[in-house]
């Protein structure tokens, strides 16, 4: 294939096989200059699908910097929406909102539905759960009316995540179960896997640790050997959280090591912080208080940088327990109170979760 044919083939492969799309792409120098932004957009979309959000963002930014005029409006809008999706995954919701404003400003009607969905997902990532659900519910009703099962699976999953962090666990689990059913109906294996992540997380929070470990294990098998490195890392970390709560600390630590390796490869600082926090909890359970504090403090710094309130609360309360055991009770009380205030201000219930 010549360079133009390879670009067309890469775009066609993107939805089904992101890694293949990357392999098919010609080098930028092989293409006429006007087509190079499109080439970089395909690369960015493929990298984001695989979980390489930081690398994808560099390409999205380059596309947005180089595309100009009415002729490039669709390309700019696609890049802005893809960038917003990657940025929210990294916890950078303010920057994601700026990208949405850019996409909205283009005024292209063909992107209206995708823009509305991304606005809801950015609200969800910004911990504005009630607002996010209010936007997502009409979209879900529309997808069910038109029997778009893959869309419905995704929307049930998004609503389930919001309900989980609101502490409405029965609603969360029902939404995740519906997501899995819709994904099965659509023949969407990744969709089933992400629904299982939600089921595993909700089950763990309500104390069903064996059910949680089973759900994450099933998800891990669905994604095993795939190019979705983010999902593989998520599965390893989530299952390790359940194993830790079950007291299977050696297995949990092996899982955290695998998740750490994958998230490090992806450059995903916020999710890497969740691994550090879970690993710190393993160390706490073993009585290794100072190494645990080191992990927890590293996680807290990353959570604060990523504006991840839930993670900050987890770290503050874990650190408080470690400090109390070290005899630093006044400092521990201050951290505990700070975490409680943060949780209540955000409307989340992390401070009440025994099985996180």
């Amino acid at each position: 294939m010549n360079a133009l044919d390879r670009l067309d083939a890469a775009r066609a492969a993107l939805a089904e096989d992101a890694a293949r799309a990357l392999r098919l792409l010609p080098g930028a120098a092989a293409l006429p200059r006007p087509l190079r932004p499109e080439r970089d957009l395909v690369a960015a979309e493929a990298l984001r699908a695989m979980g390489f959000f930081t690398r994808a963002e560099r390409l999205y930014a380059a596309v947005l910097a180089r595309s100009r005029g009415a002729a490039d409006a669709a390309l700019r809008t696609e890049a802005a929406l893809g960038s917003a999706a990657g940025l929210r995954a990294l916890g950078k919701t303010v920057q994601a909102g700026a990208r949405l404003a850019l996409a909205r400003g283009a005024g292209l009607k063909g992107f209206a539905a995708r823009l509305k969905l991304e606005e809801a997902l950015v609200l969800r990532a910004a911990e504005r759960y009630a607002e996010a659900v209010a936007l997502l519910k009409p979209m879900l009703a529309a997808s069910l009316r038109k029997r778009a099962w893959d869309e419905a699976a995704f929307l049930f999953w998004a609503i389930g995540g919001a309900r989980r962090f609101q502490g409405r666990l029965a609603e969360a689990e029902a939404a995740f179960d519906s997501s899995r059913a819709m994904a099965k109906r659509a023949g969407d294996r990744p969709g089933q896997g992400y629904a299982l992540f939600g089921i595993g997380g909700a089950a763990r929070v309500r104390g069903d640790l064996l059910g949680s470990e089973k759900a994450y294990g099933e998800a891990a098998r669905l994604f095993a050997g795939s190019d979705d490195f983010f999902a593989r890392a998520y599965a390893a970390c989530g299952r390790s959280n359940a194993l830790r709560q079950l007291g299977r600390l050696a297995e949990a630590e092996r899982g955290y090591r695998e998740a750490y390796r994958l998230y490090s490869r992806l450059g995903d600082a916020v999710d890497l912080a969740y691994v550090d926090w879970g690993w710190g909890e393993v160390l706490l359970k073993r009585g290794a208080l100072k190494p645990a504090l080191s992990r927890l403090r590293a996680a807290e710094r990353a959570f604060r940088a990523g504006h991840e309130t839930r993670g900050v609360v987890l770290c503050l309360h874990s650190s408080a327990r470690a400090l109390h055991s070290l005899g630093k009770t006044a400092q521990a009380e201050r951290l505990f109170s700070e975490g409680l205030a943060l949780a209540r201000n955000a409307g989340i219930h992390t401070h009440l979760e025994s099985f996180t």
Side-chain angles (χ1 to χ4, degrees):
M1 287 188 288
N2 64 34
L4 292 177
D5 289 340
R6 289 182 65 186
L7 177 60
D8 288 341
R11 186 176 269 282
L14 191 56
E16 298 297 326
D17 190 339
R20 181 168 179 267
L22 277 179
R23 291 194 298 271
L24 285 168
L25 272 176
L31 290 165
R33 192 173 296 277
L35 290 179
R36 291 175 189 175
E38 182 180 352
R39 182 257 176 218
D40 285 351
L41 177 61
V42 173
E45 295 279 83
L47 287 166
R48 179 168 63 86
M50 296 166 69
F52 292 96
F53 303 120
T54 301
R55 288 173 60 192
E57 176 53 27
R58 287 195 288 268
L59 286 169
Y60 286 128
V63 171
L64 290 168
R66 295 201 307 268
S67 57
R68 292 285 185 273
D72 287 336
L75 186 73
R76 263 198 320 279
T77 303
E78 274 195 79
L81 289 170
S83 174
L87 287 167
R88 67 169 162 78
L90 292 168
K92 298 180 178 181
T93 54
V94 174
Q95 296 94 318
R99 294 296 200 220
L100 292 181
L102 182 62
R104 197 181 303 112
L108 298 181
K109 292 182 180 179
F111 290 94
R114 188 175 164 196
L115 177 58
K116 188 175 180 182
L117 173 60
E118 196 55 49
E119 286 171 341
L121 296 174
V122 169
L123 286 170
R124 179 177 175 269
E127 301 171 350
R128 294 164 61 180
Y129 301 119
E131 294 170 75
V133 171
L135 287 179
L136 290 165
K137 277 190 166 182
M139 297 182 216
L140 173 60
S143 70
L144 291 171
R145 281 195 301 272
K146 63 185 182 182
R147 303 168 70 86
W149 309 127
D150 53 345
E151 289 180 21
F154 181 83
L155 291 163
F156 270 123
W157 170 83
I159 290 169
R163 291 307 192 206
R164 175 189 165 188
F165 294 125
Q166 287 178 307
R168 296 162 67 166
L169 298 179
E171 291 176 65
E173 210 153 358
F176 289 133
D177 284 338
S178 295
S179 176
R180 189 183 184 190
M182 294 295 102
K184 280 186 176 179
R185 201 163 183 174
D188 179 2
R189 281 173 63 87
Q192 292 175 58
Y194 276 89
L196 282 163
F197 290 154
I199 291 166
R204 189 182 67 244
V205 171
R206 65 176 177 77
D208 179 10
L209 302 176
L210 289 173
S212 177
E213 192 271 336
K214 179 182 177 184
Y216 281 115
E218 285 184 43
R221 287 188 287 277
L222 282 173
F223 290 112
S226 79
D227 292 311
D228 190 339
F229 297 103
F230 177 82
R232 287 164 55 188
Y234 199 126
C237 184
R239 183 167 179 264
S240 292
N241 287 335
L243 291 168
R244 169 174 50 80
Q245 291 283 1
L246 287 164
R248 292 157 62 180
L249 301 184
E251 290 177 79
E253 192 163 10
R254 283 197 296 274
Y256 286 133
R257 287 183 189 278
E258 174 64 6
Y260 200 94
R261 181 184 70 80
L262 289 167
Y263 280 134
S264 295
R265 180 178 176 184
L266 295 171
D268 186 340
V270 169
D271 284 304
L272 194 63
Y274 275 111
V275 180
D276 266 326
W277 171 78
W279 205 335
E281 281 284 307
V282 167
L283 293 168
L284 274 182
K285 288 180 183 295
R286 289 179 169 155
L289 302 178
K290 290 183 179 178
L293 274 172
S294 179
R295 287 263 174 204
L296 295 169
R297 285 167 176 160
E300 184 189 338
R301 287 192 296 272
F303 283 135
R304 288 189 186 277
H307 308 288
E308 181 78 1
T309 305
R310 178 172 177 265
V312 174
V313 174
L314 288 171
C315 288
L316 289 172
H317 285 182
S318 295
S319 295
R321 288 187 284 111
L323 288 166
H324 177 56
S325 295
L326 288 166
K328 299 179 180 180
T329 300
Q331 186 180 352
E333 287 285 4
R334 285 196 298 274
L335 294 187
F336 185 87
S337 297
E338 182 186 349
L340 182 60
L342 281 172
R344 287 180 170 165
N345 186 58
I348 58 178
H349 307 281
T350 307
H351 55 295
L352 299 177
E353 295 178 11
S354 294
F355 301 106
T356 300

